[in-house]
Amino acid sequence: LLGRLVSGIACGGAAVVVPLYLGEVSPAHLRGALGTANQLALGLGMLAAQLLGLPAGLGTLQGWPVLLGLPALPALLQLLFQPLLLESPRWYVVMGNDIMAEEMLVQLRDRPPDDLEVQEELYCMLEAARRGHDLLQIQLERSLTRASSHSSCGSNLGAQSQAMGATGCG
């Protein structure tokens, strides 16, 4: 019973922490897809566990040790690859370490430090931390400011799509 409690707390924590981390380190145009893929993987994993636990699967006296040991491989892989995870640039911004935030963005995006997208994303993070606002609000303000300097419909549509997270730092 204690094992189920600990396992449940760990699974619940992972269901919250992993999407949060993915959202903080992924580029704006991939955030929704990565968050959805994570939730889909969780749901499929639970379905597979339930199906394997049936008597037709491994839910027998002979099969339960295998069923119990199956999660060991993914857990071992997570443990081995955990040191490769980078810190969140947003976390560094919140902690006041703008230099490390930029370094993490450069590593995560695999682009040079003077890249326009990296600098735009860093600027949005810094502004959000400074103002205490949501990044979407800052991105919308910047997009509308840029859009007002252009008169074509295409640039306004581009600004609106950027404000919705299709591009930019969202």
Side-chain angles (χ1 to χ4, degrees):
L1 188 61
L2 181 62
R4 286 185 148 223
L5 177 68
V6 171
S7 178
I9 291 172
C11 289
V16 172
V17 172
V18 171
L20 179 66
Y21 178 77
L22 289 174
E24 288 194 358
V25 299
S26 61
H29 67 280
L30 293 178
R31 283 188 195 134
L34 289 174
T36 301
N38 177 65
Q39 293 300 319
L40 180 63
L42 281 173
L44 290 175
M46 287 185 263
L47 176 65
Q50 290 293 322
L51 292 175
L52 286 173
L54 293 173
L58 296 173
T60 62
L61 285 176
Q62 297 80 22
W64 77 262
V66 175
L67 186 60
L68 187 64
L70 279 177
L73 179 62
L76 180 62
L77 289 174
Q78 287 175 349
L79 188 62
L80 291 174
F81 287 115
Q82 189 270 337
L84 300 177
L85 295 174
L86 297 175
E87 292 290 342
S88 164
R90 294 174 203 262
W91 183 80
Y92 278 121
V93 165
V94 169
M95 300 311 284
N97 194 341
D98 304 348
I99 294 168
M100 283 302 295
E102 184 176 18
E103 285 181 28
M104 288 298 111
L105 270 177
V106 166
Q107 284 184 315
L108 285 166
R109 304 298 177 254
D110 194 27
R111 295 180 182 226
D114 60 347
D115 182 74
L116 185 60
E117 287 182 31
V118 168
Q119 291 304 314
E120 177 73 16
E121 191 170 357
L122 182 63
Y123 173 81
C124 288
M125 284 184 217
L126 292 170
E127 277 297 301
R130 184 180 70 76
R131 293 189 201 178
H133 289 138
D134 184 26
L135 285 177
L136 181 60
Q137 179 182 354
I138 291 166
Q139 186 179 353
L140 179 61
E141 289 172 7
R142 286 184 55 81
S143 296
L144 292 176
T145 302
R146 276 191 233 124
S148 66
S149 66
H150 303 310
S151 60
S152 72
C153 178
S155 64
N156 286 335
L157 288 175
Q160 289 171 354
S161 69
Q162 182 178 5
M164 298 310 292
T167 60
C169 63

